Amino acid sequence: MTVDLAGYRNVPDALADRARLRPQHPALIVSPDGGPDGEEVYTHAELHARVERSARRLAARLEPGSRVVLALPSGVGFVESYFGCLTAGMVAVPVPPPGGSATARARIEQIVRDCEPALVLTEEGDVQGLAETVARAGLEDCAVESPAVAQAAAEERAALPEAGRDTLGVLQYSSGSTGEPKGVMVSQGNVLTNAELFCRANGADQDDVFGGWIPLHHDMGLFAMLSSAVLAGATVVLMSPTSFVKRPATWLRLIERHRISVSAAPSFAFDLCVRLVPKEQADAVDLSSLHCVINGSEPVHVPTLRAFTEHFAAAGFAPEAMTPGYGLAEATVYVSTKPPRQRPALLITGAGQEAAGCGLPIGFELRIVDPVTRRACAPGETGEIWVRGDSVGQGYWNRPGTSEEIFRATLADSADAARWLRTGDLGSVREGELVITGRLKEVMVIRGRNVFPQDVEHEARAAHPLLAGFNGAAFAVQAPEERVVLVHEISPVASPEEFPALVAAVRKHLTGVLGSPLRDVVLLRRGAVRRTTSGKIQRGTMRSLFLEGGLAPVYADLSREVRGLLPA
């Protein structure tokens, strides 16, 4: 059955309809560690009842439009609080659960300082720590509570406001991979539209089972998995991201046990499964239920795509299920995925690199634009991806100037005064497929040639086995011309005696690939390369740490010019 959400005024109306039409159908299954023990199952009727109770308790305490920070793990507490906010006319602000992480607390402090919430919901064990974080942000009137305490603190009889499609529903903060996080204003209409488009583009409907480990504070988890599934009247199965990272096979067993048909993950997750799930385990799991597993959130690595498809072929994983996709928080999440039940198109970019096609957008207009002249590129040329449509967010919270520049751009060579979203991503349309090249802010120009950091990082791992499976970050510095610096984690089994030969091999390989010498390489311990919560490399952060002397190299081979940029 086709998912049709166009006729709903708001998200609460769609939720109520699902509870009416499919009351006993499972809406949410929570499997914290990915295993069968302790799983919780909630039908659409049960989930709707919990959401409405949460909404009335929020409405009894807070004014419509109040921001509510959700610092909660993937579970029923997050789900009922998220939909409860939308039902009560509040604005949900998903953030990573702190869990003792200094990085997560720092991110939360940035976000609460920016959005000034009236309430922060977190697990009981994190209340005291987050209360201190909120106090540092200067928000004396902001309560920090667990969902259970928040629900006990208010009556359930409060009236609920009537939200419209333009009512602000979510502040979805960007990952921070290229700078400090900005809050994308996502309306209730954006949520409804994007859920419908995601389902249409990927051949999903109410009979599907969505699910996986993507955290719910990430747009792929919140909108592509949770919101799309529940609003379609389908089932979503949630597990802990930490459980996946510790034991990647738990994701695969979750798919088998619940016959999950729609899932999603960044490219690094597929690589992790190939490396850490032995062939005998891979052959024993059943992945035949999958008809769509989105490979997105970061550039799709074609060798990883191939390796996963081959590694799990005996498990019943169909090549057609692998679904390269493109999206971003500024467009809610979904922009484009390959057509359903077709094999991914593998194409050659203008730079001669192999890339996976992401289909063409459904529900968006698309232009490839020269980012400097703002003129449309010729067919096949690489430029900045611009889109417009009803899924595009309302702008950035409290950033009118940036919102005008990014969300309301105009083409220089068109009489059409329509406004476009500048995505900041580079790509082209080739053979009827959108091909993603990289981030505009991260592209490096070396001797007149565009060099993309992810290509450098992938080639470095291919150059030596002691780098395979670890993270790297490539970025440019001015010394005095633009030069590429590569910082990369190294296997803990490597001995210091091996470092010079290893770096020499990497430099030789990368110089051949780039067509110009790469001189500057820094080796780091495992885990030293910063990433966002979705696994994106924080290249800007790594560049800053490098130039500030904030890294702790185990070995560095730097040119005199680049070394001169560093603190004495």
Side-chain angles (χ1 to χ4, degrees):
M1 177 183 289
T2 302
V3 176
D4 183 2
L5 300 172
Y8 291 103
R9 296 175 304 166
N10 51 44
V11 169
D13 284 358
L15 288 175
D17 223 20
R18 299 301 166 257
R20 179 180 62 84
L21 295 171
R22 313 199 84 197
Q24 300 309 311
H25 188 78
L28 172 67
I29 300 174
V30 180
S31 178
D33 64 359
D37 296 338
E39 284 191 343
E40 305 166 6
V41 181
Y42 302 90
T43 66
H44 279 277
E46 290 168 338
L47 182 60
H48 180 254
R50 295 179 73 105
V51 166
E52 189 155 290
R53 284 197 298 271
S54 175
R56 293 190 184 280
R57 287 162 172 161
L58 286 170
R61 301 178 61 185
L62 306 176
E63 294 295 321
S66 298
R67 276 76 64 204
V68 179
V69 169
L70 308 180
L72 295 163
S74 298
V76 69
F78 183 105
V79 175
E80 67 182 31
S81 298
Y82 161 60
F83 284 122
C85 284
L86 272 61
T87 302
M90 312 294 175
V91 182
V93 187
V95 300
S101 166
T103 301
R105 289 186 190 280
R107 177 175 169 81
I108 293 170
E109 184 172 348
Q110 280 185 310
I111 290 172
V112 298
R113 197 184 300 275
D114 187 62
C115 74
E116 298 182 320
L119 176 65
V120 174
L121 296 177
T122 191
E123 291 193 296
E124 186 61 42
D126 290 319
V127 167
Q128 182 60 38
L130 277 194
E132 295 170 2
T133 298
V134 168
R136 283 197 302 272
L139 303 175
E140 297 178 356
D141 296 331
C142 176
V144 181
E145 301 169 352
S146 70
V149 170
Q151 290 179 7
E155 297 291 334
E156 296 181 25
R157 295 188 292 272
L160 297 175
E162 284 290 332
R165 292 182 77 92
D166 290 334
T167 301
L168 181 59
V170 182
L171 284 184
Q172 182 63 37
Y173 276 82
S174 57
S175 63
S177 60
T178 58
E180 67 178 37
K182 300 182 287 291
V184 179
M185 296 187 289
V186 179
S187 72
Q188 297 215 16
N190 293 151
V191 176
L192 290 166
T193 300
N194 205 261
E196 178 179 331
L197 294 177
F198 179 86
C199 291
R200 282 174 52 195
N202 295 294
D205 60 25
Q206 65 178 16
D207 296 323
D208 277 294
V209 179
F210 294 61
W213 58 270
I214 298 293
L216 295 182
H217 61 265
H218 187 267
D219 52 8
M220 185 185 282
L222 183 63
F223 299 122
M225 292 292 100
L226 174 64
S227 299
S228 294
V230 174
L231 294 173
T235 303
V236 63
V237 186
L238 305 177
M239 66 171 281
S240 160
T242 303
S243 294
F244 165 74
V245 172
K246 289 180 178 177
R247 297 176 298 277
T250 55
W251 177 35
L252 310 177
R253 296 192 188 104
L254 189 82
I255 291 168
E256 176 183 51
R257 190 167 66 256
H258 290 286
R259 304 299 295 163
I260 290 174
S261 51
V262 181
S263 194
S267 186
F268 85 87
F270 298 95
D271 176 64
L272 210 59
C273 288
V274 171
R275 290 191 293 107
L276 299 184
V277 180
K279 195 67 174 74
E280 59 272 17
Q281 288 187 29
D283 292 350
V285 74
D286 181 3
L287 302 182
S288 62
S289 61
L290 285 169
H291 71 74
C292 170
V293 56
I294 306 293
N295 185 335
S297 178
E298 59 189 19
V300 178
H301 187 219
V302 171
T304 297
L305 180 155
R306 284 200 183 100
F308 184 92
T309 302
E310 294 170 4
H311 195 67
F312 292 98
F317 181 76
E320 298 81 8
M322 181 65 75
T323 305
Y326 170 64
L328 67 164
E330 286 80 355
T332 306
V333 63
Y334 160 81
V335 172
S336 181
T337 55
K338 76 145 183 71
R341 296 173 175 84
Q342 293 184 19
R343 294 193 177 210
L346 303 181
L347 308 166
I348 302 299
T349 69
Q353 300 289 327
E354 191 173 35
C358 295
L360 288 175
I362 291 176
F364 293 88
E365 289 185 72
L366 168 72
R367 294 288 186 277
I368 305 298
V369 179
D370 184 306
V372 177
T373 66
R374 294 188 296 111
R375 296 180 183 278
C377 293
E381 285 187 347
T382 296
E384 185 181 9
I385 300 168
W386 289 24
V387 297
R388 65 179 179 182
D390 291 340
S391 272
V392 173
Q394 299 174 329
Y396 293 122
W397 178 258
N398 277 344
R399 295 173 188 252
T402 307
S403 296
E404 186 70 20
E405 175 188 354
I406 301 300
F407 285 82
R408 289 177 276 281
T410 56
L411 289 165
D413 57 351
S414 174
D416 186 352
R419 301 303 183 100
W420 297 80
L421 168 66
R422 298 188 63 165
T423 68
D425 292 310
L426 294 172
S428 61
V429 175
R430 296 177 177 273
E431 300 180 29
E433 297 269 348
L434 177 61
V435 177
I436 312 302
T437 308
R439 290 287 297 166
L440 180 60
K441 288 183 179 180
E442 294 177 344
V443 66
M444 302 173 287
V445 182
I446 307 300
R447 296 188 177 182
R449 178 186 174 191
N450 286 349
V451 176
F452 296 96
Q454 65 270 19
D455 294 335
V456 176
E457 295 151 12
H458 287 313
E459 292 294 342
R461 286 188 280 277
H464 202 285
L466 289 174
L467 301 187
F470 297 93
N471 295 309
F475 47 80
V477 297
Q478 298 296 131
E481 74 279 3
E482 194 159 277
R483 296 183 181 218
V484 177
V485 175
L486 173 71
V487 299
H488 208 291
E489 298 169 357
I490 188 169
S491 169
V493 304
S495 64
E497 292 78 16
E498 296 176 277
F499 295 164
L502 183 156
V503 168
V506 170
R507 286 171 52 190
K508 180 179 179 181
H509 180 75
L510 287 176
T511 296
V513 170
L514 298 178
S516 59
L518 184 139
R519 176 71 177 82
D520 303 288
V521 179
V522 178
L523 300 180
L524 303 174
R525 291 183 175 85
R526 178 174 56 187
V529 172
R530 301 283 183 88
R531 296 189 297 166
T532 69
T533 54
S534 65
K536 293 180 182 177
I537 302 298
Q538 292 183 301
R539 298 182 181 94
T541 299
M542 296 305 296
R543 182 181 186 276
S544 297
L545 288 171
F546 172 75
L547 293 173
E548 294 164 3
L551 301 178
V554 298
Y555 183 81
D557 190 340
L558 300 174
S559 63
R560 177 174 54 83
E561 293 84 358
V562 169
R563 194 175 293 277
L565 300 175
L566 307 182

